[in-house]
Amino acid sequence: MSLKNQDHIVVGKLGATYGIKGWLKVFSYTEQSESIFSYAPWLIKVKGEWKEFRVESWKRHGQGLVAKLEGLDIREDAQVFTNAEVTVPAGQLPALSDEEFYWRELFGMSVFTTEGYDLGKVTDILETGSNDVLVVKANLKDAFGQKERLIPFLDEQVIKSIDRTAQRIEVDWDPGF
């Protein structure tokens, strides 16, 4: 399978160069920041093409992380990677139990109230600090005139069930809100 056709998951981002030997700052999106280094290879888009890279070495630097990618030995060559997203094939993510899921699995799921009203589909998830929020885009003919709803992701209180097979989320939510 070609790299451009794989399902890639963004696990971090590369920052500015560090030192003269091609090291780069790393901003990890994984729950434990060091976990980003457990994935190999990294898939990084360079000049419009996906390329595989392996981490040669990494270390903590102050409050952050820095890494040296194999084949990048010169600062000027590494500068091309500043702000590049670090992705990995989706198959590298750990398997979850039936009660757990990745946020990406929710995108495109249909959202219905407990009374069966179709609120639309999940298009985004906002992280607010106190709780995450589902962004649900309403169907074209929404009876309540809503085009988009923000539904707090409060397990059991608002989110009643998530069915992967049916691609459906059931919520206790007023469709007029």
Side-chain angles (χ1 to χ4, degrees):
M1 177 184 295
S2 117
L3 289 178
K4 66 182 177 184
N5 293 330
Q6 285 184 322
D7 187 12
H8 299 184
I9 305 300
V10 178
V11 293
K13 183 176 176 180
L14 297 174
T17 54
Y18 168 77
I20 60 171
K21 300 284 185 179
W23 286 69
L24 290 156
K25 293 180 181 176
V26 177
F27 301 97
S28 175
Y29 300 156
T30 59
E31 191 170 354
Q32 302 293 328
S33 59
E34 296 89 358
S35 295
I36 192 170
F37 300 113
S38 65
Y39 298 108
W42 286 359
L43 304 172
I44 302 171
K45 199 175 242 184
V46 182
K47 297 180 182 173
E49 286 187 43
W50 290 105
K51 297 195 186 237
E52 288 187 4
F53 289 91
R54 298 208 178 271
V55 176
E56 182 178 307
S57 186
W58 69 272
K59 62 183 176 181
R60 284 208 147 282
H61 177 69
Q63 298 287 4
L65 301 167
V66 293
K68 167 86 172 63
L69 302 180
E70 287 181 358
L72 285 181
D73 300 317
I74 302 170
R75 179 184 179 96
E76 289 73 24
D77 292 342
Q79 285 176 329
V80 173
F81 294 85
T82 299
N83 294 323
E85 290 183 329
V86 175
T87 69
V88 298
Q92 285 192 25
L93 297 176
L96 300 176
S97 72
D98 289 340
E99 294 82 37
E100 298 176 307
F101 49 87
Y102 289 107
W103 283 137
R104 68 183 188 88
E105 293 179 87
L106 301 180
F107 290 94
M109 282 192 178
S110 296
V111 180
F112 289 85
T113 66
T114 52
E115 288 79 33
Y117 186 82
D118 184 356
L119 296 173
K121 294 191 183 291
V122 176
T123 59
D124 201 1
I125 299 173
L126 305 175
E127 295 181 41
T128 65
S130 59
N131 59 272
D132 296 322
V133 175
L134 296 178
V135 178
V136 178
K137 184 172 179 165
N139 298 318
L140 294 176
K141 297 181 181 180
D142 186 283
F144 292 90
Q146 301 290 330
K147 293 183 179 170
E148 184 176 85
R149 289 181 177 84
L150 302 177
I151 301 174
F153 195 92
L154 299 171
D155 202 22
E156 295 181 18
Q157 185 180 350
V158 175
I159 307 297
K160 295 301 182 181
S161 68
I162 298 173
D163 185 337
R164 280 188 179 104
T165 306
Q167 289 288 289
R168 179 183 171 118
I169 300 171
E170 185 179 58
V171 296
D172 184 4
W173 195 251
D174 180 356
F177 189 67

